[in-house]
Amino acid sequence: FFNKIRNCHVNAQVYGNDCVGGIAGGDYCGTYQGCSNSGVINGSTNVGGITGKLGNGSASVERCYNTGKITVKLTSGTACVGGVSYAGTKLKNCYNTGAVSLTGNGLVGGIAAEFYSGYSNYNTGKISGKGKTLYKGEIAGNAGYSYLDGVTVYDNYYTGSGKKSGSESTSWKPYQSKAKKVSSITFGNCSKLSSKYWTYSNKHKRLILKNNKEA
């Protein structure tokens, strides 16, 4: 079946184990549009601000954002933690400003832990991690498919001091993900964020989504 979830907003504490999200735990075929989470999220393995997991090529998250703090602490195993989604395809015009942290082994990213395809997103949240085997990025823990797919993750922005991604699915640099470090999220700095979807907020001093204005 195919789910369409639109204009849902959550401001509550969310706790769980596998596949934990502010809007949905996990979905292989859903479309999420105009949704947001501002609540604290705590999980054990696969965690995202909007979805815990987003699967195949028909699934997407569009014009959504997370401002809530996301925390995962492991005692064993591995985890995937993302500001918008644990894993995702077609993550478009989304953003994260919440702190995202992983204590333990795995992947952690400002937009997604495993970011397969998407564009025009930004992250300003603090991304932190501590583990023997840890892949950490301001945009993605790991990004892209392979060199056969071309550049699938592009036109993303971040303000933090870390790397854009902890690892890349291809070692061929021309096909690796594209993201730009900027001093602030404005139209001048982020030219690929279209005014069709974004507007500048004097309150927040950065761009926010037109259809889903941040309070």
Side-chain angles (χ1 to χ4, degrees), residues 9-83:
H9 310 284
V10 173
N11 182 15
Q13 293 185 347
V14 179
Y15 297 89
N17 292 318
D18 190 19
C19 291
V20 182
I23 303 297
D27 196 337
Y28 279 89
C29 57
T31 294
Y32 298 82
Q33 295 178 335
C35 297
S36 69
N37 173 69
S38 56
V40 172
I41 299 176
N42 291 276
S44 297
T45 50
N46 304 316
V47 181
I50 301 299
T51 67
K53 186 173 184 179
L54 196 69
N56 63 29
S58 64
S60 66
V61 178
E62 304 171 12
R63 302 186 301 280
C64 296
Y65 69 85
N66 174 69
T67 60
K69 182 179 180 180
I70 301 173
T71 304
V72 172
K73 295 182 179 180
L74 291 179
T75 56
S76 63
T78 60
C80 292
V81 188

Side-chain angles (χ1 to χ4, degrees), residues 20 32 35 47 97 105-106 124 140 143 145 151 162 179 196 198:
V20 182
Y32 298 82
C35 297
V47 181
T97 66
N105 298 327
T124 64
Y145 280 117
V151 180
K196 179 179 180 180
W198 300 88

Side-chain angles (χ1 to χ4, degrees), residues 98-214:
V100 183
S101 67
L102 167 61
T103 300
N105 298 327
L107 300 95
V108 58
I111 300 298
E114 296 180 308
F115 196 174
Y116 300 128
S117 65
Y119 55 84
S120 297
N121 308 285
Y122 77 73
N123 173 59
T124 64
K126 182 180 179 180
I127 310 303
S128 59
K130 182 180 180 181
K132 184 177 181 180
T133 305
L134 183 75
Y135 297 95
K136 178 181 68 172
E138 298 295 317
I139 296 296
N142 179 74
Y145 280 117
S146 72
Y147 72 92
L148 296 174
D149 300 294
V151 180
T152 55
V153 176
Y154 56 94
D155 294 343
N156 298 293
Y157 301 91
Y158 63 96
T159 58
S161 59
K163 299 185 297 182
K164 64 180 173 66
S165 61
S167 64
E168 295 280 338
S169 293
T170 175
S171 60
W172 193 20
K173 288 188 177 181
Y175 277 9
Q176 291 182 356
S177 66
K178 308 298 181 184
K180 182 180 180 181
K181 176 179 167 55
V182 294
S183 58
S184 59
I185 305 298
T186 64
F187 282 121
N189 291 334
C190 309
S191 60
K192 299 299 183 179
L193 299 185
S194 171
S195 59
K196 179 179 180 180
Y197 302 113
W198 300 88
T199 186
Y200 185 78
S201 167
N202 288 317
K203 176 181 179 180
H204 297 291
K205 307 301 181 185
R206 54 177 165 78
L207 298 178
I208 62 174
L209 291 163
K210 278 185 175 180
N211 73 315
N212 192 12
K213 287 187 176 180
E214 189 178 347

